[in-house]
Amino acid sequence: MKLSILAAVAVLSPVAALAHDGMHANDAYVRSTNPKVGAVFMQLENHRQVACTLQGVSSDAAERVELHTHVEEGGVMKMTRIEDGIAVAAGQTHALNRGGDHIMMLGLAEPLADGDTLTLSMDFGDCGTEEVQVVVDNQREDAAPADHDHDHDHVHGDHQGH
């Protein structure tokens, strides 16, 4: 019996490894503080032997989807667009979180209601494209990183905070 279980595990292990042989998104959710803007957060996992860069994101749920981060300028935290993508080293993870790197959805097709699900197409360049299901959770209160602990309901260009 023990040998049968071990044989089954050995046979299924390569299948499990293949299921995560590229980029993977964990705990993906979106928050929206107004009807036109949403911010997406998740953890990116790179299961490849090479670094992968998130170069862009698209979704039918918004007119524009951009990669953003927060930077300190003169003692004030400001949100800014990431032009060169978000790199994830081989075998590593990268958090997209409040107060740090994240995905902004601008010009939402309709307001986001808790429990709704959106599909994002994430372009990792040479590492391929991943479709990610993102749940709307406007009530989620993840803590911002300690070095970026501030209120996110601020003005940013042509939209208001997230």
Side-chain angles (χ1 to χ4, degrees), residues 15-31:
V15 174
L18 288 175
H20 290 290
D21 65 349
M23 293 300 299
H24 182 72
N26 289 318
D27 196 25
Y29 73 99
V30 60
R31 289 185 80 240

Side-chain angles (χ1 to χ4, degrees), residues 33 62 69 85 99 101 107 125-127 131 137 140 157:
T33 56
T69 195
D101 297 343
D126 292 342
C127 292
E131 297 292 317
D137 189 350
R140 187 145 168 187

